[in-house]
Amino acid sequence: MNVLVVGSGGREHALVWALKKSSGVDRIFCAPGNGGIQELAECVNLSATDIPGLLRFAKENRIGMTVVGPEMPLWMGIVDAFEDEGLKIFGPRKSAAQIEGSKAFAKEFMRRHGIPTASFQIFESLQNARGYIWSQKPPIVVKADGLAAGKGAVVCRSHQEAQVALEEMMIKRIFGEAGKRVIVEEFMEGVELSLLALTDGRTVVPFVPAQDHKPVYDDDLGPNTGGMGAYAPVPFVDDALIQRIMEEIMIPAIRGLKNEGIEYRGVLYGGLMLTRQGPKVVEFNARFGDPETQAILPLVEGDLLEAIWAVVEGKLQEGMLRFRPGYCTCVIMASGGYPGKYEKGKPIRGLDEYLGDNVLVFHSGTKRENGTYVTSGGRVLGVTALGDSLKASIERAYAAVRRIHFEGAHYRKDIGRKGLHPPQLK
Ligand code: AMP
Ligand code: GLY
């Protein structure tokens, strides 16, 4: 079968890498892909949001399965467009992707179905939002309703900060239409966890749990990024806790959508906070996480395409995801200045050398130019390593990171540390 992966980041590189191992795959394409992906797949010069172009390409190249990476095409209805033409595609339809595309929808949905999450209020008027903020005790979390490239949530330590965040979203419209409505919510104290699960709308099968590292600097300091690294599984999350998250959050979400007439097929990403009162939802995403996927997929045993096929056909079964023992750590190397302004086009050295056993380098933002890789994004590489222990996988990933160079490169030095020293829930 010919397979098309939509997207251009490290997540898509990991998806292409994992799918390519499947015996069912003949040709594999990626639109638009990147410098690293082009080593494994035929890259197609179409944007991830060019739905008519992608549809035409899929028909012309007899694509048997399209796998969508990023949220934007899902929210624009790529799955509806493909399915309406009889093409197989992995991901939720637009109505189901609302769970990520509108935070207001997600929060009200969780309230309707008793899924634990931070208490909240939704506002369309700045005046009302401002009044509410001053009645709350900081920290206060202010969120834009719509998609804002992962930057739409601001944790505010004072009333003044919250007011500035509100004004930026609602008046200055720094996130455009996404800030027309805002959610003001309670700050949850705890430890963050990402649990991704495959679902065909009935059966829900989790991947190993992962932890992302959102802030740009060590010890979770500095502004939020798309994610500076991830590891999986998380040693202090045992089977009983996973089962609790499945029973209290993931399964009720899929069942709740179904009861509202929305069948969710694809991957549901639970962005969770483990609090003293138990696991609660920070957000749901309607897609694979980035960089969590780079740490999760190398641990998957067996055929990813088969599992994806079962999801799309509504035939998913428990036990369809199996994992090898051990751990996987992904360290993001980013461009100087990221998540603020950064320059592109810096040559990358070290990628052609041997970087160690069980090391995989997933490209997030690179291009191939005159025979070398150059940087072309904020997040540049996801340097990933497997190990028998978490410590071994971390050390192996960092040993590889130290052999790769480009001007301005920076990375966190503490990816995975929380897994080695389990945090106490206060
Ligand atoms: P989001 O865009 O909703 O994933 O939020 C981005 C980040 O902000 C999360 O990964 C959390 O670290 C933090 N955050 C969001 N909402 C809350 C909350 N209610 N309590 C504590 N932290 C939050
Ligand atoms: N790792 C965060 C995200 O994929 O949204």
Side-chain angles (χ1 to χ4, degrees), residues 103 118 141 143 150 152-153 155 185-188 192 214 224 273 282-283:
K103 289 191 195 288
V141 185
K143 295 184 176 182
V155 176
E185 67 177 40
E186 167 208 7
F187 176 79
M188 296 183 285
E192 280 189 76
K214 285 210 159 222
N224 267 348
M273 190 70 81
V282 178
E283 62 168 353

Side-chain angles (χ1 to χ4, degrees), residues 103-139:
K103 289 191 195 288
F105 170 84
K107 294 294 289 191
E108 287 176 329
F109 169 80
M110 287 187 263
R111 185 183 273 165
R112 283 198 292 282
H113 295 278
I115 296 172
T117 187
S119 63
F120 69 99
Q121 294 243 24
I122 298 169
F123 297 97
E124 293 194 19
S125 130
L126 175 67
Q127 215 176 345
N128 294 350
R130 207 188 270 146
Y132 179 71
I133 272 176
W134 285 90
S135 75
Q136 300 296 303
K137 199 165 132 277

Side-chain angles (χ1 to χ4, degrees), residues 301-313:
E301 261 180 355
D303 195 313
L304 183 65
L305 182 63
E306 263 176 39
I308 280 180
W309 187 261
V311 166
V312 172
E313 292 290 297

Side-chain angles (χ1 to χ4, degrees), residues 162-346:
Q163 187 154 323
V164 170
L166 276 182
E167 281 164 10
E168 285 186 341
M169 287 180 201
M170 300 186 91
I171 307 292
K172 292 196 193 139
R173 289 290 174 96
I174 59 168
F175 305 121
E177 282 294 289
K180 224 172 100 180
R181 280 197 290 188
V182 299
I183 293 103
V184 180
E185 67 177 40
E186 167 208 7
F187 176 79
M188 296 183 285
E189 190 93 50
V191 178
E192 280 189 76
L193 182 76
S194 304
L195 190 70
L196 281 64
L198 289 180
T199 177
D200 61 357
R202 280 178 310 189
T203 307
V204 190
V205 183
F207 286 93
V208 282
Q211 223 176 13
D212 189 9
H213 298 67
K214 285 210 159 222
V216 65
Y217 303 126
D218 286 11
D219 299 320
D220 290 335
L221 298 175
N224 267 348
T225 67
M228 293 297 288
Y231 69 95
V234 181
F236 56 85
V237 175
D238 59 14
D239 288 349
L241 180 53
I242 293 185
Q243 198 168 336
R244 180 167 180 198
I245 296 167
M246 293 298 287
E247 284 167 9
E248 293 180 8
I249 292 170
M250 305 298 278
I251 295 170
I254 297 304
R255 214 169 270 157
L257 286 167
K258 198 174 170 69
N259 290 341
E260 296 189 12
I262 298 173
E263 188 173 77
Y264 190 108
R265 261 177 284 133
V267 58
L268 180 66
Y269 165 140
L272 311 169
M273 190 70 81
L274 305 179
T275 74
R276 274 185 70 184
Q277 300 87 40
K280 295 186 183 181
V281 178
V282 178
E283 62 168 353
F284 281 120
N285 291 322
R287 50 171 175 82
F288 282 104
D290 189 336
E292 289 93 327
T293 301
Q294 292 90 305
I296 291 171
L297 291 185
L299 294 165
V300 171
E301 261 180 355
D303 195 313
L304 183 65
L305 182 63
E306 263 176 39
I308 280 180
W309 187 261
V311 166
V312 172
E313 292 290 297
K315 293 183 177 151
L316 188 66
Q317 282 168 22
E318 306 288 341
M320 273 190 164
L321 285 178
R322 283 175 295 110
F323 302 93
R324 55 183 278 171
Y327 293 83
C328 190
T329 303
C330 168
V331 178
I332 298 289
M333 297 182 76
S335 293
Y338 175 80
K341 271 206 192 112
Y342 56 85
E343 289 176 12
K344 299 181 185 178
K346 307 289 180 198

